[in-house]
Amino acid sequence: MIPKLSEVSPVQAKYLAFIERLKTSGFQGDTNPDYANRVVLSTDNSIYQVLPQGVIYPSSVADIQLLTRLSNETEFHGIVLSPRGGGTGTNGQSLTDGLVVDLSKHMNKILEVNVEEGWARVQTGVVKDQLNKAVEADGLFFAPELSTSNRATIGGMINTDASGQGSVMYGKTRDHVLELKTVLLDGELISSAAMDEDALNSIKQGSDYAAHAHRVIDTIAQTKQTAINDTFPELNRCMTGYDLAHIRDDHGHFNLNNILCGSEGTLGFIVEAKVNLLKIPTFATLVNIRYNSFEASLRHAKELLNAQPTSIETVDSKVLGLAKGDIIWNSVAEFFPEQPGEDAQGVNLVEYTGDSEAEVAERVKVLTDRLDALSADPNASTLGYTVANGHNNVNKIWGMRKKSVGLLGNAKGEKRPIAFVEDTAVPPENLADYIMEFRAVLDSYGVTYGMFGHVDAGVLHVRPALDLKDESQEPMIRDITDKVVALTQKYNGLLWGEHGKGVRSEYAPAFFGDLYPSIQQIKGAFDPRNQLNPGKIATPFELGADLLKIDEVPMRGQLDRQIPLTNRDQFKEGMYCNGNGACFNFDPNDAMCPSWKGTRQRIHSPKGRASLMREWLRGMSEQGVDVRKESYKTRHTSFLASFVPRLRNTLAKRKGEYDFSNEVHESMMGCLACKSCVGQCPIKVDVPEFRAKFLELYYSRYLRPAKDYFVGSLEYMMPTMAIFPQPYNWMVGNRFTKGLISKIVGFEDSPKLSKHNLKREMSRRGIRLATPLAIEALSPKDRKRAVIVVQDAFTSYFETELVLDVMELLSRLGFQAYLAPYLPNGKPLHVHGFLRPFEKAAKKNLDMLQNLAFYGLPMIGIDPSMTLTYRSEYAKTFGTSRPIPKVQLMQEWLANQSTHLEKQAISVKDDTFHMMAHCTEKTNAAPSIKDWQSVYELLGLKLAVENVGCCGMAGTYGHESSNKATSETIYNLSWKEKVNDPALHNKLVATGYSCRCQTKRMDDISIKHPAQILLEHIKADLA
Ligand SMILES: Cc1cc2nc3c(=O)[nH]c(=O)nc-3n(C[C@H](O)[C@H](O)[C@H](O)COP(=O)(O)OP(=O)(O)OC[C@H]3O[C@@H](n4cnc5c(N)ncnc54)[C@H](O)[C@@H]3O)c2cc1C
Ligand code: SF4
Ligand code: SF4
């Protein structure tokens, strides 16, 4: 049995006292000094891991004022506060050993949109794409772009002065900030915008923090202009954060926002922003040019700039290669054709936008004419190009490019690309030479890397691959950074061209030069005791405190290396999460990650779970636990032998005995096992896999709830219950017994067994069972059109009609359809961490499937989640020790049967249906969604794919009483509106058993499986 983990780093007394005072002073938000929240918020996307004392989620401006006023009281002068948004910083910007103040959970409302004047007022926890989605219908957008736009907040963007693709045209975040509201450390809420002299003089008369800050900044502007002109490079990505060069704007107005933008939470809490919105250009075209070398693509950028594009991005072959291995490639492959013998080493993505189609086409033609001319030159470095027209296509390619940074982290092996010199900027004309020298530095250390960048702005993205678990590689962080700093200075550039300074603030004195004391004065005016995100950008002049140093802040690798290889390997599915935050995608219509969306708690996210898993493994390793051996022991200890100690531990837990495993368990229990993380996380973090392993070990120490046994045994009980379903159906339908089941078993609204009995119906309808004998008896002709449908418990017993419909559909399409004998698939066992019983079930099932596979007939499954278990959980469990027979999703197979399908084309051609696909299917077998469309098309029907997130059911998750509320919240986020849309009435189809079950349960609306609609139409066509 695993030991208890009671020794975790305690919260310092002064922080506990501070949190206590907050609570008693009327604080309305959440205060979380628990270890799980602290661990999860101890990382961003950087190489660092800093354990905070607690996490505060303020709910309003008043909460933040309370927080700052308290910290201004003498007894709390030692309290450190670090604002946090999406936590996607790449350099430890939001990490702290004090209190994290996360504005993204509650302060995320869009307050006002003025379409006529083109601006929006938002709370700063709003995510960039959330804002853009809200104003899209008005033809507007918030222009500054960044790869993390689906999870980075406006507050984070302002505080790092974020920018990205298109910055030459659209500038940086601060170019779109009209007004800010900021809570200063004395609790005052100030508004800032460009102001005239009278307003400035009036503010300067005061005696508060704001007045002092304005006086200090204005004096610097008046006295240091020559030094400012000499120090700040003329770059698109100018020296941001405490931007002395822009204290006064182009009209000569004093603008505090240019100091605040990019200040990384070191000057105050920015709580509200009025931002500029631009008109979405009507037309967009992207020319994708392939080159025989990366250098050639960089050098060509200069000439491309003459063709007046909106933006140019360069991607190297490594990044492209990683994209090819990801789900995202499906949507862009056509734009990157692989010609025989071609070896593209670099790609330039050249974008044109405008409001006149003719004008955009004309500009594109100038470029494509030039490229066509080049193609005749045998010495040309260009290999070819494609053109993507329209926002839809262009956005797909930008989507791929945006994901590239994350994908870089998905290299194989222990050396993984990491962020520390990833966003340098130099004048664009120096970029190619600079990059060649940069590469020479990296090559001299023998490190591999992928590169891409905004060549038009001179920004290079590169993440060298290091393994910081290996102590000997740690010094490279300093060595390489020092060399890159020297290089950027040689080329008149900046170390922080895009992602901000964070821990790299150590180099602020080198870049601000003689002006560093001036920015220290600014810091001192806002934060005299260094309480706000200390150690970043500048320390107060009077205090003389140190800036953080790149090799003195605790690194994640230092903690991970405390976990022995065997333990790391056993939980490898969570070890490599690099915190890029793609799992915090705000979009309710995206599958990733329903438990995070339903709770907005970061402990209930893939990143949260992976972080907790690593810390748990570290704790177990400290206690000398070999998790692999422990798992073996658990599997070989009898239920009875372990019962008494587990009962004792469970009782102790109920009495409040602390064990970190319980916090980890709580986080794991929130997971729906929908597997969206597996398909969509760029690193392929697989929560259901490591969750199952954790649960197996956790329940070696604690008793399992009754519902686990109920769910785990369902697949075994169903065949017997189905013989005489009435008692079960009565029990789950009767109000009193339903209540009892919910109370005792913890299971709600269980579906009723089907009124049809599959066995009886099979013999009535002449459906044949797939047995070796039956298959052997097939003639060679029949064998060619034979197919085996592999059963699963849920459709066979709860939706028997569907199985019968599928069999009828196949036979009407001219196939000889056989039903494989029923055996439990084991998926519910795996989900709940019954790994030994799962293995047993899987082995038995595999024996049966292998016997059938011997005859070479295609095998297909109806339910996506159960069918995909074969290629996922089965494949992982048996590795290379057993071949796993190919069981296809029914549409994967049908889409390849065009000759049969075309023969059956239905004469009614104007019917369009709308498909809501199952999460696991669309994230783990993405091309299969198009397969359904092809099948419909082949039969003369149309199928549109609806963008929806998770339905909230996911197997039995939604039925578990403890999950009922979250399951409903998740359903309401995305499914409810579509399911109740009158325009979609009777036009919706859903591929997942769980999803159909959920719509029936939540809205009493039955949705059909896509195959049933096909059958209906074929029948109607024949009638
Ligand atoms: C894969 C990947 C790709 C990236 N690509 C880009 C890119 O293309 N362009 C780019 O600019 N950046 C990029 N970044 C960096 C990062 O996404 C940006 O810096 C982003 O603006 C951070 O936003 P956030 O909400 O996550 O902020 P956080 O990381 O939470 O915080 C960033 C800083 O802002 C401060 N802060 C946050 N909210 C507030 C507030 N309300 N008041 C005061 N201070 C606050 C924090 O203290 C911290 O110092 C990338 C990061 C990753 C992981
Ligand atoms: S789980 Fe995946 S998507 Fe989420 S932070 Fe980790 S690596 Fe990124
Ligand atoms: S399986 Fe689904 S619910 Fe669980 S962590 Fe992954 S995405 Fe989230």
Side-chain angles (χ1 to χ4, degrees), residues 921-960:
E921 180 182 35
K922 67 184 171 212
T923 55
N924 289 255
S928 75
I929 304 301
K930 277 196 182 143
D931 288 339
W932 268 126
Q933 289 181 299
S934 311
V935 172
Y936 265 56
E937 208 171 302
L938 284 165
L939 286 167
L941 289 170
K942 291 194 199 92
L943 187 67
V945 178
E946 288 299 315
N947 267 342
V948 275
C950 176
C951 72
M953 177 55 83
T956 55
Y957 171 91
H959 288 304
E960 297 176 21

Side-chain angles (χ1 to χ4, degrees), residues 21 205 795 923 947-948 1014:
R21 269 288 291 285
Q205 302 310 313
T795 55
T923 55
N947 267 342
V948 275
L1014 293 180

Side-chain angles (χ1 to χ4, degrees), residues 592-595 605-606 609 670-677 687-688:
M592 181 81 116
C593 156
S595 64
S605 68
R609 297 186 174 110
C671 170
L672 286 82
C674 70
K675 298 188 77 122
S676 295
C677 46
V687 176

Side-chain angles (χ1 to χ4, degrees), residues 577-583 592 606-607 681-683 685:
C577 162
N578 69 5
N580 66 70
C583 48
M592 181 81 116
K607 173 175 172 170
C681 160
I683 314 297
V685 161

Side-chain angles (χ1 to χ4, degrees), residues 44-45 82-90 92-94 103 124-125 145-148 151-165 237 263-266 268-271 401-402 405-406 454 461 463 498-500 533 536 579-581:
D44 54 2
N45 182 228
S82 289
R84 182 162 171 137
T88 63
T90 55
Q93 281 90 341
S94 62
L103 280 78
T124 46
E145 185 54 301
L146 77 174
S147 299
T148 44
R151 64 255 198 208
T153 61
I154 304 288
M157 288 181 74
I158 292 169
N159 274 279
T160 52
D161 201 3
S163 63
Q165 175 251 324
R237 307 302 178 85
S263 62
E264 299 187 4
T266 59
F269 289 89
I270 300 180
V271 290
R401 160 44 201 94
K402 277 186 184 185
V405 201
H454 318 295
H461 286 305
R463 292 195 170 189
E498 194 169 278
H499 297 178
N533 213 7
K536 320 263 168 75
N580 66 70

Side-chain angles (χ1 to χ4, degrees), residues 44 46 48 89-94 159-161 172 232 237-243 258-264 266 419-420 422-423 481 494-509 511-512 516 519 533 535-538 547-550:
D44 54 2
S46 69
Y48 302 104
T90 55
N91 301 288
Q93 281 90 341
S94 62
N159 274 279
T160 52
D161 201 3
K172 309 186 67 163
F232 283 71
R237 307 302 178 85
C238 58
M239 185 111 87
T240 189
Y242 298 63
D243 183 359
N258 290 338
I259 298 293
L260 291 174
C261 285
S263 62
E264 299 187 4
T266 59
F420 62 107
E422 83 282 13
D423 60 332
T481 312
L494 288 171
L495 173 63
W496 38 72
E498 194 169 278
H499 297 178
K501 304 176 184 68
V503 172
R504 303 182 298 180
S505 299
E506 166 183 353
Y507 296 95
F511 284 90
F512 282 94
Y516 182 67
I519 67 168
N533 213 7
K536 320 263 168 75
I537 306 190
L547 286 165
L548 295 173
K549 298 230 169 2
I550 57 167

